C-alpha cells in the first residue's frame, strides 16, 4: 500500500511538471525579424514624388497615426517603428526599396505600399521571402489570390467589382449609350477595363465606341480627351489617377463635352482632383465610395468625423481635410493595428497573415454605414462594398444602396 502511494505521488509530480512546462511553452513569446519585446518594425513604400505623388499624404497620415498609437502606449506594450520610403511610382525603384526594407531594415512586414505596377513588381519577391505584403494600397483583383500568393492581401474594394457596378448602372439607366473609355496603360487601368467589359457582357462590343490608353509618363492627356469627344460618345469612363483625372475633367469643360461621366473611386477626391479641376466642371460626375467623405456636411456632427478631426488636430494639423486620401490612411492604419493587437505575443510573420485572414465584421472608424471588413483563409479582399455617389455643388452626394459586387482573383 505505501508503495502505491509513492507511485501515485511520483505520477502527480510528473503531471505538475508537465503542466508547468506546457504553460511556460504556451506563454513564450514568438518573434520573427522586425519584432521584439519593445518594437514592431513596419515597412512602407509610397510615391512621395512622381506622377502619383498626390497619394503621398497616405504615408504621412499613417506615420501620424502610428505616432498616436505609440503615444497611447503602443500595441501590447510595443512601439511601432514605421519606415517609409519613396519610389516615385516607379516599379524598379519599388523593388529596390522593398529589398532595402526586408534585407537591411529587417521589417516584420510591408504595409499598404501603393500602386498596382509597383506592388506587382515586388509581389513574387515578398512571397518567396514569406514577408507579409499586407493591405496593399491598390484595388487590383490579383491581391485576392491566397492560393498562389499567401503573403499578399488587398484592402479596398477591387477595381473589377467597381466597374461592374458602373456597367450595371449604364445598362439599366442608359441602355443605348455610346461609351468612350480612357485608361492608364498598366495593370491598374487594364483591371478596371476588364471589370467594365465583364459588367457590360455581350453588349460591350457594340456600346464601347473607343478605348484609349495613356502612359503615366505623359505630361498631359488633353489630346486623348479631344480624340474621345470626336467619337460622339455620350458616356465617359474615366480610369485615371489623380493628376490625370483633374486634367480630364478640366479639358472636358474646355471642349464643352458633357457626357455622363464615371470617375474611378481612386480619384474621387475633392481635395486633390475635383477642387483643382474646378467644381463647376465636375458637376454630376458619378463615382463610388466606401468611406465617409470629410467634405460631406451630413457627417458634420458624426462621431467618426469628430475622432478623425481630433486625431488630425493633435498629430497631423497640416493635413488637407478635404483630401479623401487622408481618411483612407486613417482607416487602413486601424486595420493594421487591429491585426497586430490580435497577434498578441506571437509576432511571427505567419501569425500576422493568420490574424489578417481572420477579420470578422470589423468596422474601422470612418467607413460608410453598412460597410464592414471581413476576411478568411480563402478571401483576401477585406472590403467588397461600395455606394454610388454623384458630385453636387462642392461635395459628393451618396445615392442608392450599399452594393457588394465581388469579383474573384
Amino acid at each position: 500500500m505505501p508503495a502505491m502511494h509513492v507511485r501515485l505521488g511520483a505520477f502527480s509530480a510528473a503531471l505538475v511538471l508537465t503542466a508547468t512546462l506546457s504553460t511556460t511553452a504556451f506563454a513564450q513569446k514568438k518573434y520573427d525579424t522586425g519584432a521584439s519585446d519593445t518594437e514592431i518594425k513596419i515597412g512602407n513604400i509610397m510615391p512621395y514624388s512622381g506622377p502619383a505623388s498626390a497619394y503621398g499624404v497616405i504615408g504621412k497620415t499613417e506615420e501620424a497615426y502610428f505616432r498616436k498609437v505609440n503615444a497611447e502606449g503602443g500595441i501590447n506594450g510595443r512601439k511601432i517603428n514605421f519606415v517609409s520610403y519613396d519610389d516615385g511610382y516607379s516599379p524598379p525603384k519599388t523593388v529596390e526599396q522593398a529589398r532595402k526594407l526586408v534585407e537591411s531594415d529587417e521589417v516584420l512586414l510591408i504595409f499598404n505600399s501603393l500602386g498596382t505596377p509597383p506592388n506587382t513588381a515586388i509581389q513574387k519577391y515578398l512571397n518567396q521571402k514569406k514577408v507579409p505584403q499586407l493591405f496593399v494600397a491598390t484595388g487590383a483583383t490579383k491581391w485576392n489570390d491566397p492560393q498562389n500568393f499567401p503573403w499578399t492581401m488587398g484592402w479596398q474594394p477591387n477595381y473589377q467589382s467597381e466597374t461592374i457596378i458602373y456597367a450595371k448602372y449604364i445598362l439599366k439607366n442608359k441602355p443605348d449609350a455610346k461609351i468612350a473609355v480612357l485608361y492608364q496603360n498598366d495593370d491598374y487601368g487594364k483591371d478596371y477595363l476588364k471589370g467594365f467589359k465583364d459588367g457590360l457582357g455581350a453588349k460591350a462590343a457594340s456600346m464601347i465606341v473607343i478605348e484609349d490608353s495613356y502612359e503615366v509618363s505623359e505630361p498631359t492627356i488633353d489630346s486623348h480627351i479631344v480624340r474621345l469627344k470626336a467619337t460622339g460618345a455620350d458616356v465617359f469612363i474615366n480610369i485615371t489617377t489623380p493628376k490625370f483625372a483633374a486634367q480630364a475633367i478640366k479639358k472636358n469643360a474646355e471642349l464643352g463635352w458633357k457626357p455622363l461621366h464615371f470617375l474611378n473611386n481612386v480619384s474621387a477626391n475633392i481635395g486633390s482632383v475635383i477642387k483643382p479641376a474646378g467644381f463647376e466642371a465636375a458637376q454630376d460626375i458619378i463615382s463610388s465610395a466606401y468611406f465617409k467623405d470629410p467634405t460631406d456636411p451630413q457627417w458634420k456632427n458624426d462621431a467618426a468625423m469628430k475622432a478623425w478631426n481630433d486625431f488630425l488636430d493633435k498629430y497631423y494639423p497640416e493635413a488637407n481635410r478635404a483630401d479623401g486620401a487622408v481618411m483612407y490612411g486613417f482607416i487602413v492604419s486601424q486595420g493594421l493595428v487591429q491585426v497586430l493587437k490580435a497577434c498578441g505575443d506571437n509576432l511571427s510573420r505567419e501569425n500576422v497573415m493568420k490574424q489578417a485572414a481572420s477579420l470578422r465584421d470589423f468596422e474601422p472608424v470612418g467607413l460608410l454605414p453598412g460597410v464592414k471588413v471581413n476576411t478568411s483563409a480563402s478571401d483576401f479582399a477585406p472590403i467588397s462594398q461600395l455606394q454610388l455617389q454623384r458630385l453636387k455643388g462642392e461635395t459628393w452626394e451618396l445615392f442608392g444602396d450599399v452594393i457588394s459586387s465581388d469579383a474573384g482573383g
Side-chain angles (χ1 to χ4, degrees):
M1 198 69 168
M4 177 65 94
H5 277 300
V6 170
R7 282 200 295 275
L8 282 174
F11 182 62
S12 299
L15 277 178
V16 170
L17 181 61
T18 303
T20 304
L21 288 171
S22 297
T23 305
T24 305
F26 184 77
Q28 272 182 345
K29 296 170 181 176
K30 188 171 182 182
Y31 297 130
D32 270 345
T33 301
S36 70
D37 281 348
T38 58
E39 180 184 81
I40 305 171
K41 192 180 279 191
I42 306 298
N44 171 261
I45 306 169
M46 278 281 150
Y48 293 109
S49 63
S53 59
Y55 292 128
V57 296
I58 295 172
K60 292 176 183 176
T61 305
E62 290 163 352
E63 187 274 329
Y65 191 83
F66 298 137
R67 273 194 288 115
K68 172 185 181 292
V69 170
N70 289 343
E72 292 170 357
I75 296 174
N76 300 324
R78 300 173 181 87
K79 299 294 175 74
I80 292 180
N81 181 353
F82 184 63
V83 185
S84 184
Y85 293 134
D86 179 24
D87 67 351
Y89 201 71
S90 166
K93 187 70 174 173
T94 315
V95 172
E96 183 185 319
Q97 302 293 36
R99 287 186 180 278
K100 186 177 176 185
L101 286 166
V102 172
E103 296 167 27
S104 299
D105 296 304
E106 298 189 319
V107 298
L108 176 66
L109 60 96
I110 289 183
F111 162 69
N112 203 227
S113 44
L114 189 134
T116 303
N119 275 287
T120 299
I122 60 176
Q123 187 179 21
K124 283 182 181 173
Y125 166 74
L126 292 175
N127 276 263
Q128 284 166 357
K129 289 282 188 181
K130 297 184 177 180
V131 175
Q133 185 181 13
L134 191 58
F135 300 156
V136 294
T138 140
T141 315
K142 68 170 77 175
W143 315 132
N144 184 12
D145 187 8
Q147 191 172 351
N148 294 305
F149 293 100
W151 298 91
T152 302
M153 183 180 285
W155 175 255
Q156 65 218 55
N158 76 58
Y159 297 151
Q160 289 183 34
S161 294
E162 183 186 338
T163 42
I164 285 170
I165 289 169
Y166 299 153
K168 286 179 177 176
Y169 181 90
I170 293 166
L171 288 172
K172 183 180 178 182
N173 296 283
K174 207 172 174 66
D176 299 323
K178 293 173 66 180
I179 304 168
V181 181
L182 178 66
Y183 67 98
Q184 191 162 293
N185 189 25
D186 57 20
D187 285 350
Y188 143 76
K190 291 170 186 174
D191 208 36
Y192 262 126
L193 180 61
K194 181 186 185 304
F196 186 64
K197 286 180 169 178
D198 287 350
L200 290 177
K203 291 195 169 184
S206 60
M207 294 180 80
I208 298 173
V209 295
I210 183 172
E211 294 171 27
D212 195 16
S213 66
Y214 70 92
E215 302 298 328
V216 74
S217 57
E218 292 180 43
T220 173
I221 56 170
D222 285 3
S223 61
H224 295 275
I225 301 299
V226 171
R227 195 175 304 134
L228 298 180
K229 179 182 183 289
T231 65
D234 54 11
V235 171
F236 175 31
I237 303 297
N238 186 354
I239 303 168
T240 54
T241 46
K243 170 187 168 183
F244 301 106
Q247 288 180 4
I249 294 166
K250 199 179 281 186
K251 192 63 180 175
N252 275 14
E254 284 176 15
L255 295 173
W257 185 34
K258 295 182 179 179
L260 177 60
H261 186 161
F262 290 84
L263 177 63
N264 53 190
N265 163 272
V266 296
S267 290
N269 195 310
I270 298 292
S272 65
V273 175
I274 306 300
K275 195 173 180 181
F279 288 107
E280 196 170 325
Q283 291 306 298
D284 296 319
I285 286 177
I286 293 175
S287 189
S288 57
Y290 58 96
F291 58 78
K292 293 171 180 174
D293 177 2
T295 69
D296 189 337
Q298 75 168 304
W299 309 123
K300 187 179 177 184
N301 299 312
D302 180 67
M305 207 56 69
K306 186 178 185 306
W308 183 70
N309 278 305
D310 288 347
F311 153 66
L312 293 179
D313 287 346
K314 192 165 185 181
Y315 295 99
Y316 191 13
E318 68 275 24
N320 175 4
R321 298 185 194 216
D323 192 338
V326 178
M327 179 61 83
Y328 172 92
F330 175 67
I331 292 169
V332 72
S333 297
Q334 295 173 60
L336 179 62
V337 169
Q338 179 77 3
V339 168
L340 294 176
K341 279 182 178 174
C343 286
D345 287 336
N346 180 357
L347 284 163
S348 63
R349 287 166 169 162
E350 187 178 353
N351 194 39
V352 167
M353 291 308 299
K354 181 183 176 185
Q355 299 307 326
S358 305
L359 294 166
R360 298 284 180 274
D361 290 336
F362 173 52
E363 296 182 69
V365 172
L367 289 182
L368 286 175
V371 177
K372 297 178 180 181
V373 177
N374 281 288
T375 55
S376 71
S378 60
D379 180 10
F380 276 23
I383 301 173
S384 62
Q385 297 155 300
L386 286 166
Q387 188 169 6
L388 289 173
Q389 59 182 5
R390 185 185 283 111
L391 195 82
K392 291 290 183 187
E394 296 190 0
T395 190
W396 292 106
E397 186 180 273
L398 295 164
F399 67 95
D401 298 321
V402 170
I403 306 165
S404 182
S405 180
D406 284 308

